[in-house]
Every structure is written in C-alpha cells, then in structure tokens.
C-alpha cells in the first residue's frame, strides 16, 4: 500500500480524498495555491505545500510544480480528483515516468477516451450500441453534410475533443447545417486546437444515465449500478440520483453488462463512468466514458455501501477488487444536490465572497461533502461548487422528502447560492413523479 498520497486538487473532493487516506492509514500531502492558504484541504492534510499563484494554470494545472512537490514531499502516489489534471493523459504519463502512481487509468486509456470520435469507433467495434451516425470523423463541411444527409435530420454535430457540450450544435435541416457546423468547428479549434468533428442522429428528450465501473489491474471489472443525471443546466449537473426511475431490473442488467463490456474493450483500470443516452423507447446508446472519479460518486456510495475513493486507492496500489458483481447490491435511493456560489437571478453568475454563517443539515442518511466553514472566503478563481448534499432512504419518495427537509435546514449566508433554485426543483411535481429528461429545466424553469 502507498505510504503517502499527494492530493492534486482542492475543495470538497480534496477533503474527501484526505479523509479516505487517513482512514486507510496513508499520510497525505495537500497542494495549495496562494488563494488557498486557509482552505480546508490545506489545513486538514498531514502536510501542505504551496504550488503557486491563484490562477489554476499557475498552480493546480501546473504539472511540473505538482510533480516537483510530489518528489520533494516523498509521496508515492497522486490522486487527481476531478477536473484539473484528472483526465490529462500527458500528466498521467509524466507520473509514470517519475515512478509516481497516478490514481486513475493508464495514460493511453485516458487519451483514447478523450478522443470522442475514436472512443465511439472503439465501442462500435466492441459491439456496444452507439448513437446512430457515421463511423469516421469529419473535417470539412462537405464531408459533414454528406454524413448528415445519410443519417437524416435532425443531427447533432460534435467536436471530437469536446465533451460537456462544448463544440456541440444541433442541425435540424440542410439549410441550417453549414452555419451550425462552422460554429461548432470554430468553437472546437478555439477551445481544443482540433477541427475533428463527428455527426450523430439528434436524440429528442433523452435521459442521461451513467454507470459506475470499477476495474482492477487483473482484468476484473464490475459495475455499481447507474446514476440518473438528466437534470442539468447548460451541461452543468444540478441534481443526481441512484438508481434511476427509468430502469427496470432487466434494463439495468443489460446496460450494466454493456458498461462492463465498454470498460473491457479499452483495458480499463480504476474507477470510471460510462455515459449513455436513454431514449423514450428505452433504447440506450454509449455517449462518452469519463476516466475519473466524478462529482456525483456519493450517490453510488450511499446505495452500494462502498467507498469509491478507497477502492481507487486499493486498485492503484495493485490490490484485487474486493467484490464480485454478485456481491454488489443497490439498496434504497440516494439523491445529491449541488449547491453553488452563484446567483440564479443573474444568469447563475458566480458569486465568490466571505461566508458569514453556515449551518449544515444532519441526521440519519444525510451526508454533506464540502470544504466551506464559517468566515471562509470563497476565492473567485475556481469552480463555484460549494457543497454537495446527499441523502439516502428506503425509496425515492422517502429520499425526496429527506432532501427537502435537509435543504430546508441548510443555511449559507454572506454569498448568493442556488439553494432556492434547487429547492424548487425538489418541489416540482414532474420531478417528484420521476418524470425527468435533459430538457427538464428548460421546460419547467424557462426563466433560467
Ligand atoms: C446528444 C444529445 C442528443 N443527441 N447527442 C450533451 C453533453 C455531451 N456530453 C453530449 N450531450 C448531448 N448529446 C445526440 N446525438 C443531447 C445531449 C444533451 C445532454 C446530454 C446529457 C445531459 C444533458 C444534456 C443536455 C443537452 C443536450
């Protein structure tokens, strides 16, 4: 097992990782920027080292500084968390060259899954259903238009290096295709220095269903059931739940087996997520694979009773999976709400500042993952997520009631948050019936 892990992240996920390490008897090193001297992860780790100024590019994204810190502090592994360097193949490769364990999949696998058109092709060849569309990527508007005609409108134009909605456009007819393709491609060149695009059939009102995977170094792969992340705003997830109200036991088994096949197809190791779109007729299609631990992992932990961060660490240290598929049982229902420092009345503009008062909910089956505290100053340089509120109960109705109660107890003063907005979603009749798709917020909260 590792002796010391450097946590290459900040905020609640850094705290989450530090706690897991401490429980496992592993020493921790926090890295922090000049803006994070008083951050909870800096204070909580056994040791902490400053890696540069506030801007992420000069600190949490600076590979050389993080590797130097790892060597200087004599850590033998790096946990990258999510965001920042977590899906950076070059960083994973640099870790390997420095004989530091990167707690995540192999650099080549990260690279392969980061290229969305290549991932799609790999999955097609592995017999994993993908969204109808072309097999090969396109570079010119002529090639793309021919692909769109073959698929039939409406189509979705996507950037191969994209993800999270960047470099993505819908085209509903040949008339609007050229403009949408050019805009998507320009966005991709600007954002990712890559003009590689691919075309898919546009799926109307799908659900976003993702499966949690764990895979060890010895070819053992299991899934831990699904998360329904359909409620998103501008590709930012707001609320996630496990299981999904849309899946029957049979569909869950089929999708789970497909997710395991997807992971096997690329020789996956560590924790990962296979994203699917599920259409009205319950057809499911592979969309992307995320090669990191995700923000919403706690809902899976609540229903399976497993600790995903500890599993990640054990896998990276060369241990075999502690469970077989038949040992994994999803019990009850879990829901997570993301509370962000942002103002819903001002287009969800981030609202950093000093938290003058915080009161957290608690009780049976209520979990709060956060790095905020009284008088903490939320810096303006990073993601605006402040806190994840997760509840677990015997069924969906009870979990919704518990979330409502817990949100009602939560007090964050001094800065604006999306707390009231999330509370309204929980109170929404369609949500309570489990009737959600990716257009939920647009449909019921058009003002937002
Ligand atoms: C789609 C789609 C419909 N049809 N692809 C959004 C982010 C990126 N990962 C893929 N996304 C979508 N791809 C086809 N062919 C609809 C979306 C989509 C979406 C997906 C999941 C969750 C929320 C979403 C919101 C808008 C669009």
């Amino acid at each position: 097992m590792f002796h010391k892990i450097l946590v290459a992240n900040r905020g609640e996920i850094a705290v989450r990782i530090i706690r897991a390490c401490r429980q496992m008897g592993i020493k921790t090193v926090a890295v922090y920027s000049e803006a994070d001297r008083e951050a909870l992860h800096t204070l909580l780790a056994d040791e902490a080292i400053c890696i540069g100024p506030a801007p992420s590019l000069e600190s949490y994204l600076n590979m050389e500084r993080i590797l130097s810190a790892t060597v200087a502090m004599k850590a033998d592994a790096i946990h990258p968390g999510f965001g920042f360097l977590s899906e950076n193949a070059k960083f994973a490769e640099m870790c390997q060259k420095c004989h530091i364990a990167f707690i995540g999949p192999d650099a080549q696998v990260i690279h392969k899954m980061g290229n969305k058109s290549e991932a799609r092709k790999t999955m097609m060849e592995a017999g994993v259903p993908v969204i109808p569309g072309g097999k090969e990527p396109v570079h010119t508007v002529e090639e793309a238009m021919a692909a769109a005609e073959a698929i039939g409108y409406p189509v979705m134009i996507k950037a191969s290096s994209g993800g999270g909605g960047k470099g993505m456009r819908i085209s509903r007819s040949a008339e609007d295709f050229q403009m949408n393709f050019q805009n998507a491609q320009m966005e991709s060149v600007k954002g990712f220095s890559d003009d590689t695009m691919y075309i898919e059939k546009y799926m109307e009102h799908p659900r976003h269903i993702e499966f949690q995977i764990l895979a060890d170094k010895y070819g053992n792969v299991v899934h831990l059931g699904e998360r329904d992340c359909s409620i998103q705003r501008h590709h930012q997830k707001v609320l996630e739940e496990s299981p999904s109200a849309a899946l029957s036991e049979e569909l869950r088994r089929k999708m789970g087996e497909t997710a395991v096949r997807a992971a096997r197809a690329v020789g996956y190791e560590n924790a990962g997520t296979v994203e699917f779109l599920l259409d009205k007729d319950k057809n499911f299609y592979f969309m992307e694979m995320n090669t990191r631990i995700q923000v919403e992992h706690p809902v899976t932990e609540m229903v399976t009773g497993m600790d995903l961060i500890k599993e990640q660490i054990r896998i990276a240290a060369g241990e075999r999976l502690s469970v077989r598929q038949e040992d994994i049982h999803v019990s009850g229902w879990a829901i997570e709400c993301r509370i962000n420092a942002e103002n819903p009345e001002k287009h969800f503009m981030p609202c950093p500042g000093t938290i003058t008062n915080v009161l957290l909910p608690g009780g049976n089956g209520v979990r709060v993952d956060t790095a905020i505290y009284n008088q903490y100053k939320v810096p303006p340089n990073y993601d605006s997520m402040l806190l994840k509120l997760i509840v677990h109960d015997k069924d969906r109705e009870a979990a919704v009631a518990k979330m409502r109660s817990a949100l009602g107890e939560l007090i964050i003063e001094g800065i604006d948050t999306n707390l009231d907005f999330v509370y309204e979603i929980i109170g929404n009749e369609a949500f309570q019936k489990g009737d959600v798709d990716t257009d939920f917020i647009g449909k019921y909260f058009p003002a937002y």
Side-chain angles (χ1 to χ4, degrees), residues 254-274:
K254 261 175 66 182
M255 291 179 77
E257 282 172 6
T258 306
V260 167
R261 177 173 331 142
R264 284 192 193 285
V266 293
Y268 201 83
E269 178 201 320
N270 216 280
T273 299
V274 181

Side-chain angles (χ1 to χ4, degrees), residues 156 158 168 200-201 203 208 232 235 287-288 438:
M156 193 66 121
K158 292 182 179 179
M168 194 174 88
E200 292 174 345
K201 182 79 186 169
M203 315 295 294
H208 172 123
Q232 308 197 4
H235 305 296
M287 194 162 52
E288 290 176 22
T438 54

Side-chain angles (χ1 to χ4, degrees), residues 2-201:
F2 303 122
H3 292 288
K4 198 190 272 190
I5 293 177
L6 181 134
V7 182
N9 214 298
R10 62 181 304 283
E12 63 86 19
I13 191 63
V15 170
R16 167 79 187 83
I17 296 163
I18 291 165
R19 286 178 178 148
C21 291
R22 186 151 294 149
Q23 288 162 24
M24 294 173 83
I26 302 167
K27 289 199 175 65
T28 54
V29 180
V31 291
Y32 63 94
S33 72
E34 284 166 12
D36 277 343
R37 288 186 187 284
E38 305 294 325
L40 192 59
H41 76 285
T42 307
L43 306 174
L44 221 48
D46 295 315
E47 297 171 285
I49 180 166
C50 184
I51 49 164
S56 297
L57 281 171
E58 297 174 62
S59 48
Y60 299 106
L61 286 171
N62 189 310
M63 301 188 255
E64 289 79 11
R65 284 186 193 162
I66 289 172
L67 287 169
S68 302
T70 310
V71 173
M73 304 302 273
K74 299 184 163 54
D76 42 9
I78 294 179
H79 197 306
F82 46 67
F84 295 125
L85 297 170
S86 62
E87 292 180 285
N88 189 312
K90 191 169 157 229
F91 182 64
E93 197 186 320
M94 286 167 79
C95 288
Q96 203 173 4
K97 286 197 173 132
C98 296
H99 305 286
I100 296 162
F102 175 83
I103 301 175
D106 193 77
Q108 282 99 310
V109 173
I110 297 175
H111 182 77
K112 200 170 179 126
M113 293 297 102
N115 181 332
K116 311 295 174 191
S117 60
E118 197 187 325
R120 178 182 154 81
K121 204 166 137 177
T122 303
M123 293 309 161
M124 281 172 102
E125 283 161 5
V128 171
V130 301
I131 301 170
K135 190 173 178 187
E136 297 299 331
V138 293
H139 293 89
T140 67
V141 69
E142 291 78 21
E143 274 182 304
M145 186 92 153
E149 300 284 331
I151 295 161
Y153 292 97
V155 298
M156 193 66 121
I157 303 161
K158 292 182 179 179
S160 194
S161 295
K166 271 195 220 114
M168 194 174 88
R169 291 288 187 287
I170 304 167
S171 168
R172 296 197 171 271
S173 69
E175 284 71 57
D176 73 28
F177 186 82
Q178 181 157 343
M179 193 188 74
N180 283 306
F181 180 81
Q182 282 166 343
N183 286 340
Q185 196 176 39
M186 270 195 302
E187 209 168 290
S188 179
V189 169
K190 203 163 167 246
F192 322 111
S193 313
D194 183 5
D195 69 353
T196 313
M197 311 296 289
Y198 62 108
I199 316 292
E200 292 174 345
K201 182 79 186 169

Side-chain angles (χ1 to χ4, degrees), residues 235-434:
H235 305 296
Q236 288 294 113
K237 291 167 187 161
V238 180
L239 187 151
E240 305 98 343
E241 56 185 301
S242 184
S244 166
L247 304 198
S248 64
E249 209 40 66
E250 194 202 340
L251 183 54
R252 176 169 301 113
R253 190 184 48 75
K254 261 175 66 182
M255 291 179 77
E257 282 172 6
T258 306
V260 167
R261 177 173 331 142
R264 284 192 193 285
V266 293
Y268 201 83
E269 178 201 320
N270 216 280
T273 299
V274 181
E275 291 186 356
F276 296 104
L277 283 187
L278 180 70
D279 73 13
K280 283 267 163 303
D281 303 321
K282 310 270 161 149
N283 299 305
F284 63 89
Y285 306 98
F286 171 87
M287 194 162 52
E288 290 176 22
M289 180 161 192
N290 300 321
T291 58
R292 58 172 191 275
I293 190 76
Q294 290 192 238
V295 174
E296 59 271 27
H297 78 275
V299 292
T300 299
E301 296 185 323
M302 299 296 262
V303 295
T304 60
M306 292 176 70
D307 185 315
L308 287 173
I309 304 291
K310 288 183 186 169
E311 293 295 336
Q312 283 194 291
I313 294 168
R314 290 190 197 109
I315 289 167
E319 290 188 16
R320 288 180 177 274
L321 281 187
S322 61
V323 286
R324 293 164 301 179
Q325 190 65 57
E326 57 267 34
D327 303 325
I328 297 166
H329 300 287
V330 168
S331 150
W333 211 281
I335 305 175
E336 170 179 281
C337 287
R338 299 188 189 189
I339 305 303
N340 303 324
E342 62 190 15
N343 186 340
E345 308 305 319
K346 292 182 183 159
H347 312 285
F348 293 79
M349 200 203 339
C351 291
T354 301
I355 294 172
T356 54
N357 183 33
V358 43
L359 206 129
L360 302 179
N364 188 13
V366 177
R367 168 175 169 182
V368 179
D369 280 18
T370 188
I372 68 169
Y373 54 82
N374 257 330
Q375 304 304 324
Y376 173 65
K377 198 162 171 241
V378 180
N381 312 82
Y382 314 106
D383 189 272
S384 64
M385 190 174 72
L386 290 176
L387 179 151
K388 304 189 303 207
L389 176 57
I390 310 108
V391 300
H392 182 227
D393 212 315
K394 65 180 193 303
D395 57 25
R396 192 169 187 276
E397 196 182 342
V400 170
K402 191 174 278 182
M403 180 57 83
R404 229 181 156 166
S405 163
L407 282 169
E409 280 184 40
L410 176 59
I411 296 171
I412 300 173
E413 287 172 339
I415 58 173
D416 295 323
T417 74
N418 64 338
L419 185 55
D420 291 349
F421 177 61
V422 168
Y423 195 78
E424 280 190 54
I425 292 175
I426 294 293
N428 177 278
E429 208 176 308
F431 170 75
Q432 292 185 354
K433 285 195 288 191

